[in-house]
Amino acid sequence: MSVLVFAESSEGKFKKTAFEVVSYGKKVAEQLGTNVVALTINANDSSELYTYGAEKVVTVSNDALNTFNAKQYAAIVTEVAKAQSATVVVVDSSIDGLYLAPLVAVDLEAGCVSNVVAAPSSTSPFTVKRKTFSNKTFSNTVISTDHKVIGVAKNSYGVHENPVAGSTEAFEPAIAASGVTSEKVERVTGKVTIADADIVVSAGRGLKGPENWGMIEELADVLGAASACSKPVSDLGWRPHSEHVGQTGKPVAANLYIAIGISGAIQHLAGINASKVKVVINTDPEAPFFKAADYGIVGDAFEVVPKLIEKLKAFKAS
Amino acid sequence: MKILVCISHVPDTTSKINFTENDTKFDTNGVQFVINPYDEFCLTRAMWFKEKQGATVTIVNVGGAETEPTLRKALAIGADNAIRVNVNPTDGLQVAKELAAVVKNGGYDLVLAGKESADYNGQMVPGMLASLTDFNFINGCVGIEVDGRSVSATREIDGGNETLSSNLPLVIGGQKGVVEEKDLRIPNMRGIMMARKKPLQVIEGVGATAATSVQSFEKPAPKGAVKLVDADNVDELISLLHNEAKVI
Ligand SMILES: Cc1cc2nc3c(=O)[nH]c(=O)nc-3n(C[C@H](O)[C@H](O)[C@H](O)COP(=O)(O)OP(=O)(O)OC[C@H]3O[C@@H](n4cnc5c(N)ncnc54)[C@H](O)[C@@H]3O)c2cc1C
């Protein structure tokens, strides 16, 4: 028996979520009294995962796998899971993680639970806590199959160091026919993406128009943050759709979410609930966001944000 | 082209979520149910194919009789016929297995499903359905074009988009972008009248079992009150974020 963790990397480098899922896998392995095995595909330095408790790392290197392909990746995860006698497979809740999880689940005849926020509360019955109803609630879910596939929600379990003397084992999988071919990948480069960011600076209709986003981007720059917006802002074309967060937009599970000129409608909050610390800046003391936030300033964004940028620059320099 | 659109019946986005029976059952009291928003994008795209390229559009739901008003609404938007698999499912794998039986019997070319449902947010049904039927699968789709048997689709990736090609048969996990929100269809009077006469077939399930079950629901712990900082004192905010919250 073992716990298999798929540690996602991009251009050879691990994502932060890779360390989180290995930390999570280590915990589950301890609970089950077994070992954690991590699987990497085209990662440069897989030994980094020993720090988080991976006793064994199965490495796959193959240029044909440089672009993510769900069916091919799922076939590899399944094959390694079988070879390592893994009963639990852990992935992150990234776009790609949740693309392959259901495919792996069918191949392993496993129950699958995504958006999991904590280590199992019990391993018999195997019970995990996950987000449901668009982040408004949690559900404690029992997985009754022998095999289990778990998608860990970002920034929910955290990254925990647990150094072990691990070993790596190279694996050369046969690459499955996929039926789906990648023709073109277009990435906005040089910018922190909402999915990866620890800090997100977001602004709403209170900003009045697209010409006022300069200060939002500057604030994001100072903090090394991603910028985001509310739905009407992207609907109005002030900002690209890729920045729209909320129930029907992107989910944000950042350590810090700063909401400027956003009212805090229920659909917006559903997308950002999972963020740890929320700051709101709004002229209206009755704005619903103040009920959801940890820190708030009742004030005009056009006065507060420039001051905040100036003071943060001084703080960062000190 | 034969299109199947999977329709999930979910609480309206503004619903207050409550539970009964010792926090083990979702309380449907006073909750307005709607077509799952992600499915609505897919349904509208299916209508577009029907009108512009020629297609028949069947909608399917795995659920009890209470979901029929939602199916009638989807028929009013323009789907040709509806299937309700008379099963009260408790997890995604069970839904996917029931849907797979419908897909296998129906000879569909293209299956459209929202990438997730707004209630349990499992993000697994479209992928599992594709696996079980051995159809190709593109998830998180924000654009799709079909030319004969070949498909070009765009999916969202971290920080960008990826364009993919595939042949039919194919399962799509769709989201906003498959059509834009402004293009979503609202049933009109004529549609509603016609929907009454359209076939809504109720079939029994194949007996798929669930792999997971909800033991209990939980609401997040009530939050402490917001700490307000004076607008003239952003230094204090920075200090709180640095020393207390430890996030900068
Ligand atoms: C099915 C459905 C799904 C939805 N999904 C989403 C979603 O995913 N994401 C989302 O965001 N919304 C979503 N919405 C929309 C949501 O209900 C709200 O309409 C939206 O979040 C409001 O955006 P806003 O706060 O930017 O704008 P507004 O509601 O216009 O609020 C602007 C805020 O700015 C404040 N303000 C004004 N001037 C200033 C100033 N100078 N300085 C500081 N503050 C100022 C105001 O006090 C106000 O609170 C959805 C709605 C529906 C029906």
Side-chain angles (χ1 to χ4, degrees):
Chain A
M1 189 167 66
S2 71
V3 172
L4 179 70
V5 177
F6 175 54
E8 237 186 272
S9 56
S10 168
E11 290 170 357
K13 279 181 60 186
F14 286 115
K15 299 189 173 178
K16 196 178 136 200
T17 53
F19 304 135
E20 184 170 30
V21 285
V22 174
S23 305
Y24 186 95
K26 176 68 180 171
K27 175 73 186 172
V28 178
E30 277 171 12
Q31 288 175 299
L32 292 171
T34 180
N35 284 346
V36 55
V37 179
L39 166 66
T40 69
I41 297 181
N42 290 350
N44 295 336
D45 180 8
S46 295
S47 68
E48 275 185 89
L49 302 181
Y50 302 156
T51 314
Y52 306 93
E55 284 98 354
K56 191 196 274 185
V57 183
V58 175
T59 61
V60 171
S61 300
N62 190 324
D63 284 346
L65 300 167
N66 278 342
T67 304
F68 172 84
N69 180 295
K71 199 165 173 179
Q72 291 171 344
Y73 274 47
I76 295 169
V77 174
T78 305
E79 198 179 340
V80 174
K82 286 183 177 159
Q84 302 294 329
S85 312
T87 49
V88 180
V89 174
V90 184
V91 301
D92 65 16
S93 288
S94 70
I95 291 176
D96 292 349
L98 292 179
Y99 193 164
L100 68 92
L103 308 183
V104 173
V106 168
D107 288 347
L108 292 176
E109 295 179 48
C112 180
V113 178
S114 57
N115 300 317
V116 169
V117 296
S121 57
S122 148
T123 53
S124 177
F126 198 96
T127 313
V128 284
K129 182 169 167 174
R130 60 179 296 238
K131 295 185 275 187
T132 35
F133 292 99
S134 302
N135 295 329
K136 287 178 223 163
T137 65
F138 299 104
S139 74
N140 296 302
T141 302
V142 173
I143 311 179
S144 43
T145 41
D146 290 344
H147 288 83
K148 288 123 187 131
V149 174
I150 294 176
V152 179
K154 186 187 158 216
N155 276 342
S156 59
Y157 182 72
V159 172
H160 303 278
E161 290 196 4
N162 206 333
V164 290
S167 61
T168 61
E169 180 180 308
F171 174 62
E172 280 179 35
I175 296 180
S178 100
V180 174
T181 313
S182 177
E183 301 289 346
K184 192 169 68 179
V185 171
E186 288 165 298
R187 270 204 181 85
V188 190
T189 48
K191 270 186 118 187
V192 190
T193 65
I194 293 174
D196 290 331
D198 282 328
I199 303 180
V200 173
V201 174
S202 189
R205 198 149 52 180
L207 267 270
K208 315 278 191 280
E211 66 282 4
N212 298 323
W213 247 262
M215 64 180 188
I216 300 301
E217 293 200 311
E218 194 178 350
L219 179 57
D221 263 358
V222 177
L223 289 166
S227 59
C229 67
S230 68
K231 181 170 173 295
V233 165
S234 72
D235 287 348
L236 287 161
W238 297 356
R239 298 299 290 177
H241 276 305
S242 56
E243 288 196 5
H244 154 203
V245 305
Q247 175 154 3
T248 51
K250 285 219 166 63
V252 176
N255 282 328
L256 172 61
Y257 185 78
I258 304 181
I260 302 162
I262 299 179
S263 60
I266 192 163
Q267 299 92 349
H268 187 85
L269 297 179
I272 61 105
N273 268 341
S275 297
K276 291 241 164 60
V277 175
K278 295 155 209 134
V279 173
V280 54
I281 299 169
N282 198 307
T283 40
D284 175 10
E286 302 298 321
F289 222 126
F290 283 107
K291 289 210 175 65
D294 301 282
Y295 302 101
I297 290 182
V298 178
D300 188 336
F302 296 97
E303 288 163 22
V304 176
V305 175
K307 263 194 277 180
L308 191 56
I309 292 170
E310 183 195 322
K311 298 283 187 183
L312 273 170
K313 278 185 178 161
F315 166 80
K316 292 272 174 189
S318 70
Chain B
M1 183 162 57
K2 273 187 87 173
I3 303 178
L4 183 70
V5 185
C6 306
I7 300 285
S8 181
H9 163 88
V10 301
D12 169 44
T13 52
T14 55
S15 303
K16 290 264 183 295
I17 307 297
N18 290 306
F19 305 106
T20 58
E21 298 182 35
N22 234 343
D23 288 335
T24 58
K25 292 251 151 30
F26 172 57
D27 183 2
T28 55
N29 229 320
V31 171
Q32 171 89 27
F33 281 84
V34 296
I35 301 175
N36 180 36
Y38 299 96
D39 302 347
E40 221 178 327
F41 293 115
C42 293
L43 178 63
T44 302
R45 188 65 191 163
M47 297 330 305
W48 188 95
F49 284 125
K50 177 179 150 133
E51 287 156 17
K52 301 283 197 306
Q53 297 185 193
T56 58
V57 178
T58 302
I59 52 168
V60 62
N61 166 265
V62 181
E66 71 283 359
T67 70
E68 287 191 6
T70 298
L71 291 178
R72 288 283 172 209
K73 189 177 162 200
L75 287 171
I77 288 172
D80 298 301
N81 60 312
I83 300 170
R84 178 170 70 78
V85 182
N86 190 29
V87 169
N88 272 312
T90 57
D91 98 325
L93 187 58
Q94 187 185 10
V95 174
K97 285 182 173 167
E98 291 295 349
L99 290 174
V102 172
V103 170
K104 282 178 185 156
N105 289 333
Y108 297 98
D109 304 293
L110 178 64
V111 180
L112 299 167
K115 68 163 183 157
E116 68 180 283
S117 65
D119 48 6
Y120 293 95
N121 314 95
Q123 301 196 28
M124 62 179 105
V125 170
M128 289 178 163
L129 177 57
S131 259
L132 292 163
T133 52
D134 218 12
F135 279 25
N136 290 339
F137 173 46
I138 297 175
N139 201 23
C141 202
V142 293
I144 171 168
E145 302 295 339
V146 181
D147 182 3
R149 301 293 296 170
S150 57
V151 178
S152 169
T154 306
R155 73 166 185 123
E156 190 167 29
I157 54 175
D158 278 352
N161 284 325
E162 178 182 24
T163 307
L164 303 138
S165 62
S166 168
N167 284 332
L168 296 175
L170 174 71
V171 176
I172 289 285
Q175 58 184 8
K176 183 169 109 178
V178 166
V179 296
E180 286 311 323
E181 198 166 319
K182 62 176 171 29
D183 298 323
L184 286 176
R185 306 276 175 98
I186 306 160
N188 57 25
M189 209 49 205
R190 187 162 163 269
I192 294 166
M193 298 303 288
M194 283 178 39
R196 290 193 189 149
K197 294 196 208 97
K198 287 182 181 171
L200 193 164
Q201 189 192 358
V202 179
I203 59 172
E204 292 309 316
V206 291
T209 49
T212 67
S213 57
V214 175
Q215 193 181 54
S216 63
F217 292 100
E218 222 176 283
K219 291 203 183 177
K223 242 192 72 331
V226 58
K227 257 191 199 166
L228 287 181
V229 174
D230 196 274
D232 293 324
N233 195 1
V234 293
D235 275 328
E236 192 191 339
L237 178 67
I238 293 171
S239 152
L240 285 166
L241 293 177
H242 181 62
N243 298 315
E244 188 177 80
K246 301 195 175 11
V247 287
I248 58 170

